Amino acid sequence: MSDSDWLVLLPQEAKEVIEKSDGWGRLTCRISGPDRAALVVALSNEDSDRVPVATDPGHFLMTAGFQPVGHWYAVPEELVLTEYFLVRQSATLSFDEFHRLVPKAECPVSGKWAIAVTYCAQPPAISEDETLPAWSAWIVTDSSVQPMLLDIRDGNELMDALEGLWPTRALASKRVLLFGAGSIGGATAESLASYGAGQIDIVDPDRLLFHNIPRHVLTTKHVGRTKVNALTQTLGSAWPECHVTPWPIDLVANADLVRPLLDESDIIVCTVDGVEPRRVANYLARRAGKPIVFACVLGDGRYGEILRIRALPEVGCLECQRRRLREEGRIDLETTLDRGYGTGTRHNPMTAVGGDLHLIGQLTAKITVATLLRAQGELDQTLVDDNLVIALRPTPGYTDPFDATRMLDQKWYRAGRPYDDCPACNAT
Ligand SMILES: [Zn+2]
């Protein structure tokens, strides 16, 4: 182990302990040789007992062996400068040179190695706008000391690091209610979190099964769990600022439980297969006076459709949009949703591929986020129009709006007015 491409991972809690001290301590790592990586899992403050630090139990190094092979040291700025030049020259220090700068450094016995993590409270600036990094890591033997890679979990990976570049604050206060945690819904949920939505409630009673895996954002390690619980865990680890609440219930059967969630939401997204749940979602959203975005793949995966129904008196609901299509002699592919699509049964095999479903899920999140931001006055988030049909595998023979002939052709059209006799629209 003398190569400089080894990596040390330092959890936030360990970082905080080291920053508060100006001394030294011991490190315990889990280390994987094949992966050339070490994760700090416990540390001492000088001669104290080693205290475990919080780590992600699912991290791949948590199954690797323990090795009490490291130290951390508070160091002077001269060591930081030395590292700067060493890295540029691909050079190493002798242990004696390292020891001169870090008097507490412990020399490994011959043939052994150790990891050193060093922290300089006031790292030197080498120009007006470049200060050298406070943190470094080193591979130490009795003959040589050389820099190695270090990555620290320190909060900079959080969403609010984008503040000023993206309206993170506006989205952090928004709550999205998502119906459906299938292939489209799972991708929508991930994407909503990655845009910075502050709260997501996900409603879906289904468990993740083996046949879902090729099309779902979730992986085999979650097979058997409810999709909402698995998504809550995966989103929580990637986007800790996003508060996800799982609701493993059926939208149609539990409308009474779902209704209060609508009142607390800023927008609803419906990715559930089947005409009946879409009708229920449509009705509930209208009653609650909330905007709703419907997403699905129609015609055996040939077209993606995303319908945004704003909560405005001049905009008709989903039922009104469907009825207008039929009355205008255009086609209504929604009936293909009731052919058992998505259930993967033998007589109705799933025909849309995972990538297409994820694409529609991500576009759905984009449209949802744009709708929220536009309402907050973000003019660059003004959408082309309310309704989108996008061609995934266009087929001749369909009529408007499903008549695109080129893949990824997009047809945007206006959501029409409500019908006077629409029960959903006139209940508001
Ligand atoms: Zn209506």
Side-chain angles (χ1 to χ4, degrees):
M1 159 138 172
S2 61
D3 293 312
S4 56
D5 65 346
W6 273 73
L7 170 68
V8 184
L9 300 172
L10 192 69
Q12 182 154 5
E13 205 181 317
K15 170 188 179 270
E16 287 165 2
V17 169
I18 296 170
E19 275 173 340
K20 280 186 203 135
S21 165
D22 58 359
W24 63 278
R26 298 190 174 87
L27 300 175
T28 299
C29 300
R30 286 186 182 265
I31 292 180
S32 166
D35 296 297
R36 310 175 78 71
L39 171 67
V40 173
V41 293
L43 77 170
S44 77
N45 198 339
E46 306 207 340
D47 282 318
S48 76
D49 288 341
R50 293 169 200 247
V51 177
V53 294
T55 44
D56 175 358
H59 192 274
F60 80 96
L61 282 171
M62 293 304 283
T63 56
F66 279 113
Q67 301 209 36
V69 293
H71 292 84
W72 61 266
Y73 305 106
V75 295
E77 63 178 60
E78 195 181 347
L79 184 78
V80 179
L81 275 172
T82 303
E83 191 211 3
Y84 177 73
F85 292 113
L86 284 177
V87 169
R88 299 188 146 225
Q89 295 159 9
S90 301
T92 62
L93 287 177
S94 69
F95 181 82
D96 289 342
E97 289 166 318
F98 186 71
H99 189 255
R100 186 177 64 76
L101 295 167
V102 187
K104 292 282 183 191
E106 206 167 281
C107 187
V109 297
S110 180
K112 299 282 186 186
W113 49 267
I115 290 169
V117 171
T118 57
Y119 173 67
C120 176
Q122 287 180 315
I126 52 164
S127 72
E128 257 181 37
D129 47 26
E130 190 181 358
T131 300
L132 293 178
W135 293 88
S136 308
W138 309 78
I139 293 178
V140 183
T141 70
D142 63 344
S143 58
S144 76
V145 179
Q146 65 173 320
M148 64 190 290
L149 303 170
L150 172 70
D151 194 33
I152 303 174
R153 186 155 211 188
D154 62 0
N156 281 325
E157 65 283 355
L158 295 176
M159 203 69 210
D160 61 17
L162 281 175
E163 184 65 41
L165 302 167
W166 176 250
T168 50
R169 209 163 289 169
L171 286 167
S173 64
K174 297 299 177 198
R175 184 164 178 176
V176 182
L177 174 57
L178 173 62
F179 294 136
S183 303
I184 295 177
T188 303
E190 277 195 345
S191 193
L192 284 170
S194 77
Y195 280 118
Q199 284 191 74
I200 310 175
D201 295 272
I202 314 178
V203 176
D204 192 321
D206 288 352
R207 291 173 187 269
L208 187 73
L209 300 176
F210 287 116
H211 75 82
N212 299 133
I213 293 299
R215 291 164 194 82
H216 210 281
V217 295
L218 293 167
T219 59
T220 47
K221 73 174 182 180
H222 293 290
V223 167
R225 295 182 86 182
T226 59
K227 293 172 182 173
V228 289
N229 283 334
L231 279 172
T232 300
Q233 187 191 345
T234 58
L235 299 182
S237 56
W239 296 280
E241 298 137 297
C242 180
H243 301 285
V244 183
T245 310
W247 298 92
I249 55 174
D250 181 79
L251 158 66
V252 177
N254 302 98
D256 283 355
L257 293 174
V258 168
R259 202 168 282 121
L261 295 177
L262 277 97
D263 293 332
E264 292 164 24
S265 302
D266 295 292
I267 195 165
I268 294 97
V269 180
C270 181
T271 66
V272 189
D273 288 335
V275 172
E276 179 64 14
R278 281 162 62 95
R279 291 217 165 116
V280 171
N282 174 62
Y283 188 81
L284 291 175
R286 276 275 120 161
R287 288 292 297 264
K290 297 294 168 75
I292 181 166
V293 179
F294 292 93
C296 62
V297 167
L298 298 164
D300 295 331
R302 301 189 186 285
Y303 297 93
E305 185 193 59
I306 304 170
L307 304 181
R308 178 180 68 156
I309 311 287
R310 288 175 293 164
L312 299 172
E314 66 269 28
V315 175
C317 72
L318 177 74
E319 295 294 304
C320 293
Q321 306 304 322
R322 291 292 170 210
R323 183 168 159 189
R324 181 157 286 105
L325 276 186
R326 291 190 294 271
E327 286 186 0
E328 290 175 356
R330 303 199 282 173
I331 53 166
D332 177 4
L333 279 183
E334 196 181 47
T335 51
T336 64
L337 281 176
D338 263 355
R339 277 200 247 139
Y341 174 79
T343 56
T345 53
R346 191 173 300 177
H347 59 287
N348 279 316
M350 285 184 284
T351 48
V353 67
D356 279 352
L357 296 165
H358 296 182
L359 178 70
I360 297 306
Q362 288 165 353
L363 274 174
T364 301
K366 183 76 178 153
I367 287 170
T368 303
V369 165
T371 302
L372 290 169
L373 290 176
R374 183 62 187 80
Q376 294 277 110
E378 300 279 346
L379 293 178
D380 68 0
Q381 296 296 300
T382 308
L383 267 176
V384 181
D385 217 325
D386 286 314
N387 296 347
L388 169 65
V389 172
I390 184 164
L392 302 170
R393 290 190 300 133
T395 312
Y398 290 127
T399 55
D400 180 57
F402 300 95
D403 55 347
T405 56
R406 303 285 178 158
M407 208 272 292
L408 288 185
D409 259 358
Q410 294 157 58
K411 185 159 275 190
W412 290 90
Y413 60 101
R414 172 72 19 122
R417 295 190 61 81
Y419 285 84
D420 291 339
D421 58 348
C422 170
C425 289
N426 292 296
T428 52

